[in-house]
Amino acid sequence: MVSDRNAIIGGCAAGFVVDITLFPIDTIKTRMQSRQGLRSLGLSDLHKLKGVGAAAVGSMPGSALFFLTYEHVKRMNYGGGAKQHMLASSLGEIMACLVRVPTEVVKQRVQAKLARSSWEGLKHTLANAGLRGLYVGYGTTVMREIPFAAIQYPIWEKLRSAYNPEGSGFKSGVCGSVAGAVAGGLTTPIDVVKTRLMLSTKNEGVVKVIRELYKEGLSSFFKGFSARIGWLSIGGFVYLGTYQTVIEFIV
């Protein structure tokens, strides 16, 4: 079993590494899902890594909160197996989103060119919508993350128990890659709605955003599908591989 201390250390490392290394792909996905689409994307945006400050600030505490909760719940007796992993990952995401959502709001506004820097994005959000503005899309994000985690982590645990009993960081990453791609593809529509909500300057509701996407065509619900699967497949490898590697190193 992983201790709370090790879960925090491993979570911090995994969150920082995956968010920084995969930031350009995340930027492409955000632009694809925005109203402007990829028309506003320039190579200079990827080169400058706009919004990476917000990602770096939020990635470590958010990931640490997730794994702290995840490993803690796993140690309890709630039926074991997939059910326990689904419960542990779902509760972990609820906790992590308390940190993740505000940083996502700021980061995505910068990625979509609604602000020039993370600091400007934070000030603009607070000035226009107050503290509530930082939690726009919180409910939708939780609604996306819980199904995603409930799919990803039972698959990851099952695969690594079958193919990685020795606890190899690399093999854990491979298992995470498969689990991330499957979960990411299935939850793309929720991710599109969440992105639109976070980029909105009018505090639009979920129903209005869904209606708008429906008018654009059903394919609109799958904008950024390829980028999301690619991002989460690579991300699953880096994130869960890093986590397992760090845990094995500090034990």
Side-chain angles (χ1 to χ4, degrees), residues 174-185:
V174 173
C175 296
S177 178
V178 174
V182 174

Side-chain angles (χ1 to χ4, degrees), residues 123-204:
K123 290 193 298 181
H124 183 270
T125 301
L126 290 174
N128 285 274
L131 189 62
R132 288 183 60 186
L134 291 175
Y135 284 92
V136 170
Y138 176 82
T140 311
T141 303
V142 171
M143 286 170 58
R144 178 199 67 179
E145 296 296 349
I146 287 180
F148 176 81
I151 296 169
Q152 181 188 33
Y153 283 90
I155 293 176
W156 177 58
E157 295 281 7
K158 186 70 174 178
L159 289 175
R160 71 173 185 155
S161 66
Y163 301 107
N164 187 31
E166 70 276 15
S168 161
F170 178 80
K171 289 184 179 179
S172 181
V174 173
C175 296
S177 178
V178 174
V182 174
L186 293 174
T187 55
T188 297
I190 305 175
D191 186 54
V192 174
V193 174
K194 185 272 305 180
T195 299
R196 287 288 182 93
L197 281 170
M198 286 185 168
L199 296 180
S200 174
T201 57
K202 303 176 183 178
N203 291 325
E204 296 173 311

Side-chain angles (χ1 to χ4, degrees), residues 74-94:
K74 273 178 62 179
R75 293 197 296 268
M76 300 178 181
N77 184 20
Y78 290 116
K83 291 181 180 179
Q84 182 114 356
H85 298 143
M86 290 173 71
L87 176 63
S89 59
S90 297
L91 292 176
E93 291 296 352
I94 291 173

Side-chain angles (χ1 to χ4, degrees), residues 202-214:
K202 303 176 183 178
N203 291 325
E204 296 173 311
V206 175
V207 175
K208 186 176 180 180
V209 170
I210 291 175
R211 286 176 178 170
E212 181 182 89
L213 287 165
Y214 182 76

